[in-house]
């Protein structure tokens, strides 16, 4: 849903906002429902990016590239585990339950993520830099900016 219009001159801008909101909704996997442009936060900026190579380099440069590559090579689930782990506030039990795996499987995956990425998952900077990539592995902001994977 785009912004409100005070007159006919505002229609094109609101329509553009509605298109971006729809694109972000589709990229995030949010499903059916209403997505309001004015509630999208930083994703509003990301959706406006024309040149996706800078977003792609950021995705890889955040050091999740090795984990994404590992998942591709090994057909593992590290990045979905990372996304859920962060969404569950670093709680192993909640993460394991949400993923439908045993707690020890979840702990093993998180340990592998730490080893491969070199990141301390309790670091607030890691959370901040990673939050825009959830749900992984289809990096949400990368997809919102038009990236493909």
């Amino acid at each position: 849903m785009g912004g409100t219009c005070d007159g006919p001159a505002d229609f094109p801008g609101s329509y553009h906002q509605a298109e971006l909101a729809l694109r972000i909704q589709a990229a995030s996997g949010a499903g059916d429902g209403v997505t309001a442009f004015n509630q999208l936060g930083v994703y509003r900026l990301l959706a406006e990016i024309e040149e996706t190579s800078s977003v792609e380099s950021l995705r890889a440069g955040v050091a999740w590239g090795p984990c994404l590559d590992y998942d591709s090579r090994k057909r593992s689930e590290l990045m979905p585990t990372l996304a859920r782990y962060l969404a569950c506030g670093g709680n192993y039990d909640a993460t394991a339950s949400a993923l439908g795996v045993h707690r020890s499987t979840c702990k093993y995956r998180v340990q592998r993520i730490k080893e491969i990425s070199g990141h301390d998952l309790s670091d607030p900077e890691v959370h901040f830099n990673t939050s825009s990539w959830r749900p992984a592995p289809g990096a949400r902001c990368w997809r919102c900016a038009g990236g493909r994977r």
Side-chain angles (χ1 to χ4, degrees), residues 35 61 86:
T35 301
L86 294 175

Side-chain angles (χ1 to χ4, degrees), residues 64-81:
W64 301 120
C67 289
L68 288 165
D69 293 341
Y70 183 91
D71 274 355
S72 284
R73 283 192 327 273
K74 303 283 188 174
R75 295 189 178 155
S76 63
E77 298 288 323
L78 296 184
M79 293 307 289
T81 300

Side-chain angles (χ1 to χ4, degrees), residues 44-75:
R44 292 174 13 181
L45 299 174
L46 294 169
E48 295 277 3
I49 295 173
E50 297 289 330
E51 176 53 49
T52 61
S53 64
S54 61
V55 177
E56 170 60 16
S57 67
L58 176 62
R59 178 194 65 83
V62 174
W64 301 120
C67 289
L68 288 165
D69 293 341
Y70 183 91
D71 274 355
S72 284
R73 283 192 327 273
K74 303 283 188 174
R75 295 189 178 155

